[in-house]
Amino acid sequence: MPIPRVLGVLISGRGSNLKAIIGAIADGRLNVRIAVVISNRAGAPGLEHAREAGIEALVLNHLDHLTREAYDMTLVKALRDRGVGLVCLAGFMRLLSPGFVDAFPDRIVNIHPSLLPKYPGLQPQRQALDDGATVSGATVHFVNKDLDAGRIVLQDTVPVRPGDTEHDLADRILEVEHRLYPEAIARVLAAG
Ligand code: GRF
């Protein structure tokens, strides 16, 4: 069965990848509709990108829930109620419980600022610099029950330059992310 071309995007902060996805839809690179953007933080600046594009911007605060599982089931219900076919994590700073992953099998993607399996988890740019890497990059991958370990959809490399700060590297990777994420979503939807 083809994946319904309806996205739910989960964010926690800035939302520049969300903005890139919205842009790709607007200029015809990505044939999909975003049904809802959900943030676990009320003040996430990325919510503004959704509102500006006329997309429902929903705040579901994890602190209002007693357990991770309870929160995740609230997310699942909100996504299902809106007919979401593919869940896109875009800077969503929460680990997903197995119950969430089971609710959308092979239907959750994430973007991570490293060439996975290198530098999973927190501060991947810091990890790359500390490792003396000369190349890093960005990866779009399916989400499974293990951290940053699901099947890879697309990756691209980014040079690490001498004297780079974590910030320099993060910015350079982010430019690649903004091109890569819409392309990877299109690929997942085309593969059905
Ligand atoms: C990106 O670097 C992404 O790879 C990581 O979190 C950051 C989110 O940035 N998962 P933004 O909120 O999309 O601007």
Side-chain angles (χ1 to χ4, degrees):
M1 250 245 301
I3 306 176
R5 289 183 168 265
V6 181
L7 300 186
V9 183
L10 305 191
I11 66 169
S12 295
R14 178 179 54 188
S16 70
N17 279 289
L18 165 66
K19 190 173 174 215
I21 296 167
I22 292 172
I25 295 170
D27 68 22
R29 273 178 293 139
L30 188 54
N31 174 23
V32 72
R33 176 172 73 83
I34 302 178
V36 65
V37 171
I38 304 176
S39 171
N40 65 311
R41 296 201 182 119
L47 289 167
E48 227 15 74
H49 297 310
R51 293 189 190 109
E52 274 168 19
I55 298 165
E56 182 187 7
L58 187 62
V59 175
L60 294 175
N61 191 333
H62 57 282
L63 298 175
D64 296 337
H65 297 73
L66 285 181
T67 63
R68 180 180 302 280
E69 287 71 24
Y71 177 63
D72 282 8
M73 286 308 107
T74 300
L75 289 177
V76 166
K77 182 173 186 324
L79 293 162
R80 282 195 173 143
D81 283 352
R82 289 159 180 82
V84 166
L86 184 67
V87 180
C88 299
L89 308 183
F92 187 60
M93 299 305 288
R94 297 201 36 95
L95 294 174
L96 298 182
S97 61
F100 189 115
V101 175
D102 285 340
F104 289 95
D106 289 325
R107 297 289 184 269
I108 310 169
V109 288
N110 180 43
I111 188 154
H112 184 79
S114 78
L115 289 176
L116 291 172
K118 279 195 165 242
Y119 318 133
L122 294 175
Q123 297 186 298
Q125 300 91 348
R126 182 77 264 153
Q127 294 183 50
L129 292 175
D130 289 349
D131 196 31
T134 53
V135 175
S136 191
T139 303
V140 178
H141 63 95
F142 286 100
V143 173
N144 63 15
K145 291 172 190 170
D146 300 317
L147 179 66
D148 297 331
R151 187 157 49 88
I152 289 170
V153 181
L154 268 185
Q155 308 189 278
D156 206 353
T157 57
V158 171
V160 181
R161 303 224 167 99
D164 264 356
T165 63
E166 210 175 324
H167 190 78
D168 297 331
L169 183 57
D171 280 353
R172 200 174 307 121
I173 293 174
L174 211 53
E175 273 183 42
V176 168
E177 290 187 30
H178 295 162
R179 174 178 49 73
L180 199 70
Y181 210 179
E183 197 182 327
I185 292 167
R187 186 173 286 211
V188 169
L189 292 171

